[in-house]
Amino acid sequence: MSFNHLRIQRKLFSTLTTDERDAWTQLLRESITSRWAFVSPTYAEAVNADLGPVEVLLFWQGDELVGVMPLQRAAGWLGRLGMREPVGRHMTDYFGILTRPEVRLEWSPLLRAAGIPCLHFTHLDESQAAHGLTGDNPRSGLRTRIHPDGGEAHWEYLRTQDRKLVNDTERRERKLVAEHGPLQFEMQSTSPVQDLEALIKLKNAQYRRTGHDGGALLDPVNARLLTRLLASRDTNCRPRLSVLRCKGRLVASHFGLQCGPLLHYWFPVYDNQFSAYSPGRILYRHILLAAQAHGIACIDRGEGDSPAKRDFANEEHRFFKGLLGSGLRGQILCLAQRLNWRFSA
């Protein structure tokens, strides 16, 4: 289906009708390549409440909704002048259009039709190229596609592929138990409010310890977004707050979002006092073992490549960035953004 056969409408999230939200949810439920929590109406609703107004591009074929793209004004003066970014800005792990397989688009006419002068994005998945949407500066993304027979079978298969990793992880877990007491693992925390507060505190301590001044959760607004998402009951944006304790003490935890069979591995953290035991690996192992019981078939580590992410990954894909302008105003905004990057580097 070509762009010429579509009508694009830009609406504030708060003005969407029940029918439009239901059609959006149906598109998400049926999607094969773009079933991501970050393009769900529940995620957009949470962002709209905590990070500011969300806009939604609706793609219509006649009276039928065939595509959705949630956006937000960029922060600061560039946003006030018209620059848009993905909903949730740098909190968001995936960006793109949620649509049917046959839909084909082009960035320039799309921006013109939507009345958007400038768009800056990251985390555009390579699968969006099938719809005509591409970007620059590719970066790796890593996933664990779990064995069809579940986490236990996956762990044993992994033993045949990387015996050193498996044996070392099991050895460190035994050492942790021997020196600090029995482990308690909860796939879904039974004390979510307290555990989320502890996760945010540990994550911010990690940011400061590693010199990551731009850490997302250092901004209280982003931390509040996690608190709001914690209350979601939507199967397309289900919060997963997993914890690992020794004698009641939090060793490691992870807050992510599950969309159908996909778990976005979003905010993992551990108590640095346990770092010698590789608690992040141990927690990941327990989540992997419990995945099938919670309907999880794939664990997605998001953008970025590191030894820790590669430890259990068996699938790689690419994310892209882009800075696009439409018309003279858009080109001026793009130039201003590039200058801003140059002088703030």
Side-chain angles (χ1 to χ4, degrees), residues 194-210:
Q194 298 92 320
D195 285 335
L196 182 57
E197 287 178 1
L199 180 148
I200 291 169
K201 184 177 179 180
L202 285 172
K203 198 69 180 176
N204 286 338
Q206 176 193 332
Y207 292 145
R208 296 186 182 100
R209 188 173 62 250
T210 57

mmCIF file with all atom_site columns, all heavy atoms in Angstrom, residues 194-210:
data_model
loop_
_atom_site.group_PDB
_atom_site.id
_atom_site.type_symbol
_atom_site.label_atom_id
_atom_site.label_alt_id
_atom_site.label_comp_id
_atom_site.label_asym_id
_atom_site.label_entity_id
_atom_site.label_seq_id
_atom_site.pdbx_PDB_ins_code
_atom_site.Cartn_x
_atom_site.Cartn_y
_atom_site.Cartn_z
_atom_site.occupancy
_atom_site.B_iso_or_equiv
_atom_site.pdbx_formal_charge
_atom_site.auth_seq_id
_atom_site.auth_comp_id
_atom_site.auth_asym_id
_atom_site.auth_atom_id
_atom_site.pdbx_PDB_model_num
ATOM 1   N N   . GLN A 1 194 ? 8.384  -0.684 47.097 1.00 0.00 ? 194 GLN A N   1
ATOM 2   C CA  . GLN A 1 194 ? 9.670  -0.590 47.778 1.00 0.00 ? 194 GLN A CA  1
ATOM 3   C C   . GLN A 1 194 ? 10.812 -1.042 46.876 1.00 0.00 ? 194 GLN A C   1
ATOM 4   O O   . GLN A 1 194 ? 11.890 -0.437 46.863 1.00 0.00 ? 194 GLN A O   1
ATOM 5   C CB  . GLN A 1 194 ? 9.654  -1.435 49.056 1.00 0.00 ? 194 GLN A CB  1
ATOM 6   C CG  . GLN A 1 194 ? 8.621  -0.997 50.078 1.00 0.00 ? 194 GLN A CG  1
ATOM 7   C CD  . GLN A 1 194 ? 7.292  -1.736 49.928 1.00 0.00 ? 194 GLN A CD  1
ATOM 8   O OE1 . GLN A 1 194 ? 6.827  -1.970 48.801 1.00 0.00 ? 194 GLN A OE1 1
ATOM 9   N NE2 . GLN A 1 194 ? 6.696  -2.101 51.050 1.00 0.00 ? 194 GLN A NE2 1
ATOM 10  N N   . ASP A 1 195 ? 10.586 -2.122 46.123 1.00 0.00 ? 195 ASP A N   1
ATOM 11  C CA  . ASP A 1 195 ? 11.653 -2.638 45.268 1.00 0.00 ? 195 ASP A CA  1
ATOM 12  C C   . ASP A 1 195 ? 11.965 -1.704 44.103 1.00 0.00 ? 195 ASP A C   1
ATOM 13  O O   . ASP A 1 195 ? 13.122 -1.598 43.674 1.00 0.00 ? 195 ASP A O   1
ATOM 14  C CB  . ASP A 1 195 ? 11.302 -4.034 44.764 1.00 0.00 ? 195 ASP A CB  1
ATOM 15  C CG  . ASP A 1 195 ? 11.461 -5.096 45.846 1.00 0.00 ? 195 ASP A CG  1
ATOM 16  O OD1 . ASP A 1 195 ? 12.255 -4.866 46.788 1.00 0.00 ? 195 ASP A OD1 1
ATOM 17  O OD2 . ASP A 1 195 ? 10.795 -6.144 45.756 1.00 0.00 ? 195 ASP A OD2 1
ATOM 18  N N   . LEU A 1 196 ? 10.945 -1.022 43.574 1.00 0.00 ? 196 LEU A N   1
ATOM 19  C CA  . LEU A 1 196 ? 11.211 -0.064 42.503 1.00 0.00 ? 196 LEU A CA  1
ATOM 20  C C   . LEU A 1 196 ? 11.990 1.133  43.055 1.00 0.00 ? 196 LEU A C   1
ATOM 21  O O   . LEU A 1 196 ? 12.924 1.629  42.401 1.00 0.00 ? 196 LEU A O   1
ATOM 22  C CB  . LEU A 1 196 ? 9.911  0.408  41.852 1.00 0.00 ? 196 LEU A CB  1
ATOM 23  C CG  . LEU A 1 196 ? 10.088 1.390  40.681 1.00 0.00 ? 196 LEU A CG  1
ATOM 24  C CD1 . LEU A 1 196 ? 10.964 0.783  39.582 1.00 0.00 ? 196 LEU A CD1 1
ATOM 25  C CD2 . LEU A 1 196 ? 8.739  1.816  40.111 1.00 0.00 ? 196 LEU A CD2 1
ATOM 26  N N   . GLU A 1 197 ? 11.657 1.588  44.243 1.00 0.00 ? 197 GLU A N   1
ATOM 27  C CA  . GLU A 1 197 ? 12.416 2.680  44.871 1.00 0.00 ? 197 GLU A CA  1
ATOM 28  C C   . GLU A 1 197 ? 13.874 2.273  45.053 1.00 0.00 ? 197 GLU A C   1
ATOM 29  O O   . GLU A 1 197 ? 14.794 3.068  44.788 1.00 0.00 ? 197 GLU A O   1
ATOM 30  C CB  . GLU A 1 197 ? 11.796 3.043  46.223 1.00 0.00 ? 197 GLU A CB  1
ATOM 31  C CG  . GLU A 1 197 ? 10.474 3.787  46.123 1.00 0.00 ? 197 GLU A CG  1
ATOM 32  C CD  . GLU A 1 197 ? 9.876  4.076  47.497 1.00 0.00 ? 197 GLU A CD  1
ATOM 33  O OE1 . GLU A 1 197 ? 10.506 3.701  48.515 1.00 0.00 ? 197 GLU A OE1 1
ATOM 34  O OE2 . GLU A 1 197 ? 8.799  4.685  47.557 1.00 0.00 ? 197 GLU A OE2 1
ATOM 35  N N   . ALA A 1 198 ? 14.094 1.034  45.491 1.00 0.00 ? 198 ALA A N   1
ATOM 36  C CA  . ALA A 1 198 ? 15.461 0.552  45.690 1.00 0.00 ? 198 ALA A CA  1
ATOM 37  C C   . ALA A 1 198 ? 16.203 0.458  44.367 1.00 0.00 ? 198 ALA A C   1
ATOM 38  O O   . ALA A 1 198 ? 17.397 0.799  44.273 1.00 0.00 ? 198 ALA A O   1
ATOM 39  C CB  . ALA A 1 198 ? 15.436 -0.804 46.390 1.00 0.00 ? 198 ALA A CB  1
ATOM 40  N N   . LEU A 1 199 ? 15.518 -0.019 43.308 1.00 0.00 ? 199 LEU A N   1
ATOM 41  C CA  . LEU A 1 199 ? 16.136 -0.118 41.986 1.00 0.00 ? 199 LEU A CA  1
ATOM 42  C C   . LEU A 1 199 ? 16.573 1.256  41.498 1.00 0.00 ? 199 LEU A C   1
ATOM 43  O O   . LEU A 1 199 ? 17.699 1.422  40.996 1.00 0.00 ? 199 LEU A O   1
ATOM 44  C CB  . LEU A 1 199 ? 15.161 -0.765 41.006 1.00 0.00 ? 199 LEU A CB  1
ATOM 45  C CG  . LEU A 1 199 ? 15.649 -0.946 39.560 1.00 0.00 ? 199 LEU A CG  1
ATOM 46  C CD1 . LEU A 1 199 ? 15.033 -2.195 38.933 1.00 0.00 ? 199 LEU A CD1 1
ATOM 47  C CD2 . LEU A 1 199 ? 15.303 0.267  38.671 1.00 0.00 ? 199 LEU A CD2 1
ATOM 48  N N   . ILE A 1 200 ? 15.700 2.246  41.621 1.00 0.00 ? 200 ILE A N   1
ATOM 49  C CA  . ILE A 1 200 ? 16.028 3.595  41.149 1.00 0.00 ? 200 ILE A CA  1
ATOM 50  C C   . ILE A 1 200 ? 17.220 4.150  41.934 1.00 0.00 ? 200 ILE A C   1
ATOM 51  O O   . ILE A 1 200 ? 18.134 4.767  41.349 1.00 0.00 ? 200 ILE A O   1
ATOM 52  C CB  . ILE A 1 200 ? 14.788 4.511  41.279 1.00 0.00 ? 200 ILE A CB  1
ATOM 53  C CG1 . ILE A 1 200 ? 13.716 4.073  40.271 1.00 0.00 ? 200 ILE A CG1 1
ATOM 54  C CG2 . ILE A 1 200 ? 15.172 5.972  41.050 1.00 0.00 ? 200 ILE A CG2 1
ATOM 55  C CD1 . ILE A 1 200 ? 12.368 4.724  40.487 1.00 0.00 ? 200 ILE A CD1 1
ATOM 56  N N   . LYS A 1 201 ? 17.233 3.924  43.226 1.00 0.00 ? 201 LYS A N   1
ATOM 57  C CA  . LYS A 1 201 ? 18.347 4.398  44.055 1.00 0.00 ? 201 LYS A CA  1
ATOM 58  C C   . LYS A 1 201 ? 19.658 3.739  43.633 1.00 0.00 ? 201 LYS A C   1
ATOM 59  O O   . LYS A 1 201 ? 20.695 4.404  43.476 1.00 0.00 ? 201 LYS A O   1
ATOM 60  C CB  . LYS A 1 201 ? 18.060 4.102  45.526 1.00 0.00 ? 201 LYS A CB  1
ATOM 61  C CG  . LYS A 1 201 ? 19.107 4.637  46.479 1.00 0.00 ? 201 LYS A CG  1
ATOM 62  C CD  . LYS A 1 201 ? 18.714 4.371  47.928 1.00 0.00 ? 201 LYS A CD  1
ATOM 63  C CE  . LYS A 1 201 ? 19.779 4.899  48.893 1.00 0.00 ? 201 LYS A CE  1
ATOM 64  N NZ  . LYS A 1 201 ? 19.392 4.644  50.312 1.00 0.00 ? 201 LYS A NZ  1
ATOM 65  N N   . LEU A 1 202 ? 19.647 2.404  43.426 1.00 0.00 ? 202 LEU A N   1
ATOM 66  C CA  . LEU A 1 202 ? 20.850 1.700  42.999 1.00 0.00 ? 202 LEU A CA  1
ATOM 67  C C   . LEU A 1 202 ? 21.289 2.128  41.591 1.00 0.00 ? 202 LEU A C   1
ATOM 68  O O   . LEU A 1 202 ? 22.490 2.270  41.322 1.00 0.00 ? 202 LEU A O   1
ATOM 69  C CB  . LEU A 1 202 ? 20.603 0.192  43.015 1.00 0.00 ? 202 LEU A CB  1
ATOM 70  C CG  . LEU A 1 202 ? 20.565 -0.496 44.378 1.00 0.00 ? 202 LEU A CG  1
ATOM 71  C CD1 . LEU A 1 202 ? 20.104 -1.946 44.230 1.00 0.00 ? 202 LEU A CD1 1
ATOM 72  C CD2 . LEU A 1 202 ? 21.939 -0.444 45.045 1.00 0.00 ? 202 LEU A CD2 1
ATOM 73  N N   . LYS A 1 203 ? 20.323 2.334  40.701 1.00 0.00 ? 203 LYS A N   1
ATOM 74  C CA  . LYS A 1 203 ? 20.658 2.723  39.324 1.00 0.00 ? 203 LYS A CA  1
ATOM 75  C C   . LYS A 1 203 ? 21.295 4.108  39.311 1.00 0.00 ? 203 LYS A C   1
ATOM 76  O O   . LYS A 1 203 ? 22.288 4.333  38.593 1.00 0.00 ? 203 LYS A O   1
ATOM 77  C CB  . LYS A 1 203 ? 19.397 2.706  38.458 1.00 0.00 ? 203 LYS A CB  1
ATOM 78  C CG  . LYS A 1 203 ? 19.686 2.673  36.956 1.00 0.00 ? 203 LYS A CG  1
ATOM 79  C CD  . LYS A 1 203 ? 20.292 1.356  36.535 1.00 0.00 ? 203 LYS A CD  1
ATOM 80  C CE  . LYS A 1 203 ? 20.601 1.294  35.056 1.00 0.00 ? 203 LYS A CE  1
ATOM 81  N NZ  . LYS A 1 203 ? 21.269 0.047  34.671 1.00 0.00 ? 203 LYS A NZ  1
ATOM 82  N N   . ASN A 1 204 ? 20.768 5.021  40.082 1.00 0.00 ? 204 ASN A N   1
ATOM 83  C CA  . ASN A 1 204 ? 21.339 6.357  40.127 1.00 0.00 ? 204 ASN A CA  1
ATOM 84  C C   . ASN A 1 204 ? 22.726 6.352  40.755 1.00 0.00 ? 204 ASN A C   1
ATOM 85  O O   . ASN A 1 204 ? 23.615 7.109  40.343 1.00 0.00 ? 204 ASN A O   1
ATOM 86  C CB  . ASN A 1 204 ? 20.401 7.310  40.861 1.00 0.00 ? 204 ASN A CB  1
ATOM 87  C CG  . ASN A 1 204 ? 19.192 7.685  40.023 1.00 0.00 ? 204 ASN A CG  1
ATOM 88  O OD1 . ASN A 1 204 ? 19.225 7.581  38.794 1.00 0.00 ? 204 ASN A OD1 1
ATOM 89  N ND2 . ASN A 1 204 ? 18.115 8.117  40.663 1.00 0.00 ? 204 ASN A ND2 1
ATOM 90  N N   . ALA A 1 205 ? 22.933 5.490  41.757 1.00 0.00 ? 205 ALA A N   1
ATOM 91  C CA  . ALA A 1 205 ? 24.265 5.339  42.336 1.00 0.00 ? 205 ALA A CA  1
ATOM 92  C C   . ALA A 1 205 ? 25.239 4.802  41.288 1.00 0.00 ? 205 ALA A C   1
ATOM 93  O O   . ALA A 1 205 ? 26.408 5.217  41.226 1.00 0.00 ? 205 ALA A O   1
ATOM 94  C CB  . ALA A 1 205 ? 24.210 4.411  43.544 1.00 0.00 ? 205 ALA A CB  1
ATOM 95  N N   . GLN A 1 206 ? 24.765 3.883  40.447 1.00 0.00 ? 206 GLN A N   1
ATOM 96  C CA  . GLN A 1 206 ? 25.595 3.345  39.362 1.00 0.00 ? 206 GLN A CA  1
ATOM 97  C C   . GLN A 1 206 ? 25.958 4.437  38.363 1.00 0.00 ? 206 GLN A C   1
ATOM 98  O O   . GLN A 1 206 ? 27.116 4.537  37.929 1.00 0.00 ? 206 GLN A O   1
ATOM 99  C CB  . GLN A 1 206 ? 24.862 2.210  38.661 1.00 0.00 ? 206 GLN A CB  1
ATOM 100 C CG  . GLN A 1 206 ? 25.606 1.640  37.454 1.00 0.00 ? 206 GLN A CG  1
ATOM 101 C CD  . GLN A 1 206 ? 24.733 0.739  36.596 1.00 0.00 ? 206 GLN A CD  1
ATOM 102 O OE1 . GLN A 1 206 ? 23.796 0.112  37.074 1.00 0.00 ? 206 GLN A OE1 1
ATOM 103 N NE2 . GLN A 1 206 ? 25.018 0.696  35.313 1.00 0.00 ? 206 GLN A NE2 1
ATOM 104 N N   . TYR A 1 207 ? 24.964 5.258  37.985 1.00 0.00 ? 207 TYR A N   1
ATOM 105 C CA  . TYR A 1 207 ? 25.238 6.356  37.066 1.00 0.00 ? 207 TYR A CA  1
ATOM 106 C C   . TYR A 1 207 ? 26.339 7.258  37.620 1.00 0.00 ? 207 TYR A C   1
ATOM 107 O O   . TYR A 1 207 ? 27.278 7.634  36.912 1.00 0.00 ? 207 TYR A O   1
ATOM 108 C CB  . TYR A 1 207 ? 23.980 7.202  36.841 1.00 0.00 ? 207 TYR A CB  1
ATOM 109 C CG  . TYR A 1 207 ? 22.850 6.541  36.087 1.00 0.00 ? 207 TYR A CG  1
ATOM 110 C CD1 . TYR A 1 207 ? 21.525 6.826  36.424 1.00 0.00 ? 207 TYR A CD1 1
ATOM 111 C CD2 . TYR A 1 207 ? 23.082 5.679  35.024 1.00 0.00 ? 207 TYR A CD2 1
ATOM 112 C CE1 . TYR A 1 207 ? 20.467 6.250  35.740 1.00 0.00 ? 207 TYR A CE1 1
ATOM 113 C CE2 . TYR A 1 207 ? 22.032 5.105  34.328 1.00 0.00 ? 207 TYR A CE2 1
ATOM 114 C CZ  . TYR A 1 207 ? 20.723 5.396  34.684 1.00 0.00 ? 207 TYR A CZ  1
ATOM 115 O OH  . TYR A 1 207 ? 19.690 4.824  34.004 1.00 0.00 ? 207 TYR A OH  1
ATOM 116 N N   . ARG A 1 208 ? 26.214 7.635  38.886 1.00 0.00 ? 208 ARG A N   1
ATOM 117 C CA  . ARG A 1 208 ? 27.198 8.551  39.488 1.00 0.00 ? 208 ARG A CA  1
ATOM 118 C C   . ARG A 1 208 ? 28.567 7.892  39.610 1.00 0.00 ? 208 ARG A C   1
ATOM 119 O O   . ARG A 1 208 ? 29.596 8.532  39.368 1.00 0.00 ? 208 ARG A O   1
ATOM 120 C CB  . ARG A 1 208 ? 26.691 9.010  40.855 1.00 0.00 ? 208 ARG A CB  1
ATOM 121 C CG  . ARG A 1 208 ? 25.403 9.825  40.797 1.00 0.00 ? 208 ARG A CG  1
ATOM 122 C CD  . ARG A 1 208 ? 25.015 10.374 42.164 1.00 0.00 ? 208 ARG A CD  1
ATOM 123 N NE  . ARG A 1 208 ? 23.756 11.118 42.093 1.00 0.00 ? 208 ARG A NE  1
ATOM 124 C CZ  . ARG A 1 208 ? 22.582 10.621 42.457 1.00 0.00 ? 208 ARG A CZ  1
ATOM 125 N NH1 . ARG A 1 208 ? 22.500 9.380  42.941 1.00 0.00 ? 208 ARG A NH1 1
ATOM 126 N NH2 . ARG A 1 208 ? 21.493 11.354 42.364 1.00 0.00 ? 208 ARG A NH2 1
ATOM 127 N N   . ARG A 1 209 ? 28.579 6.619  39.960 1.00 0.00 ? 209 ARG A N   1
ATOM 128 C CA  . ARG A 1 209 ? 29.837 5.896  40.139 1.00 0.00 ? 209 ARG A CA  1
ATOM 129 C C   . ARG A 1 209 ? 30.594 5.761  38.824 1.00 0.00 ? 209 ARG A C   1
ATOM 130 O O   . ARG A 1 209 ? 31.826 5.791  38.792 1.00 0.00 ? 209 ARG A O   1
ATOM 131 C CB  . ARG A 1 209 ? 29.537 4.505  40.706 1.00 0.00 ? 209 ARG A CB  1
ATOM 132 C CG  . ARG A 1 209 ? 30.761 3.706  41.127 1.00 0.00 ? 209 ARG A CG  1
ATOM 133 C CD  . ARG A 1 209 ? 30.361 2.413  41.834 1.00 0.00 ? 209 ARG A CD  1
ATOM 134 N NE  . ARG A 1 209 ? 29.598 1.504  40.995 1.00 0.00 ? 209 ARG A NE  1
ATOM 135 C CZ  . ARG A 1 209 ? 28.310 1.224  41.162 1.00 0.00 ? 209 ARG A CZ  1
ATOM 136 N NH1 . ARG A 1 209 ? 27.621 1.794  42.155 1.00 0.00 ? 209 ARG A NH1 1
ATOM 137 N NH2 . ARG A 1 209 ? 27.693 0.387  40.358 1.00 0.00 ? 209 ARG A NH2 1
ATOM 138 N N   . THR A 1 210 ? 29.866 5.619  37.733 1.00 0.00 ? 210 THR A N   1
ATOM 139 C CA  . THR A 1 210 ? 30.492 5.417  36.421 1.00 0.00 ? 210 THR A CA  1
ATOM 140 C C   . THR A 1 210 ? 30.589 6.705  35.610 1.00 0.00 ? 210 THR A C   1
ATOM 141 O O   . THR A 1 210 ? 30.976 6.672  34.439 1.00 0.00 ? 210 THR A O   1
ATOM 142 C CB  . THR A 1 210 ? 29.696 4.365  35.623 1.00 0.00 ? 210 THR A CB  1
ATOM 143 O OG1 . THR A 1 210 ? 28.321 4.801  35.494 1.00 0.00 ? 210 THR A OG1 1
ATOM 144 C CG2 . THR A 1 210 ? 29.735 3.018  36.322 1.00 0.00 ? 210 THR A CG2 1
#
